Amino acid sequence: MTYSETYNAESKAPTHSARIKHGQGKQAHFETVGVAWLNEDGKITVQLYGKQIVEGRIYCSRIKNSEA
């Protein structure tokens, strides 16, 4: 996937979901804690929901286009 395929300057909708991982291996599950946008300069802006404590990594995965 190229940068131009992911970034859409005309859309204000988030391009990624922000999640944290709980557990390991097959027992692991992901909790969505916010959304993210891919910016024009290639950086990602993350907006977290609420006031939770986030420890460890935040995984940003592309939101699949509902039109496809």
Side-chain angles (χ1 to χ4, degrees), residues 2-67:
T2 65
Y3 173 75
S4 60
E5 290 172 333
T6 306
Y7 177 73
N8 182 356
E10 296 177 15
S11 175
K12 303 252 185 217
T15 56
H16 293 73
S17 62
R19 300 174 179 197
I20 56 174
K21 184 178 177 182
H22 296 284
Q24 294 185 1
K26 292 185 179 185
Q27 302 297 325
H29 68 280
F30 287 86
E31 174 187 3
T32 301
V33 294
V35 292
W37 291 262
L38 183 60
N39 298 318
E40 207 170 61
D41 59 1
K43 296 177 182 174
I44 294 178
T45 301
V46 178
Q47 180 177 352
L48 300 177
Y49 303 138
K51 294 183 178 183
Q52 69 273 4
I53 296 174
V54 177
E55 183 178 341
R57 296 180 181 179
I58 296 176
Y59 297 85
C60 292
S61 55
R62 196 172 135 246
I63 298 173
K64 294 181 182 177
N65 189 349
S66 59
E67 297 175 8

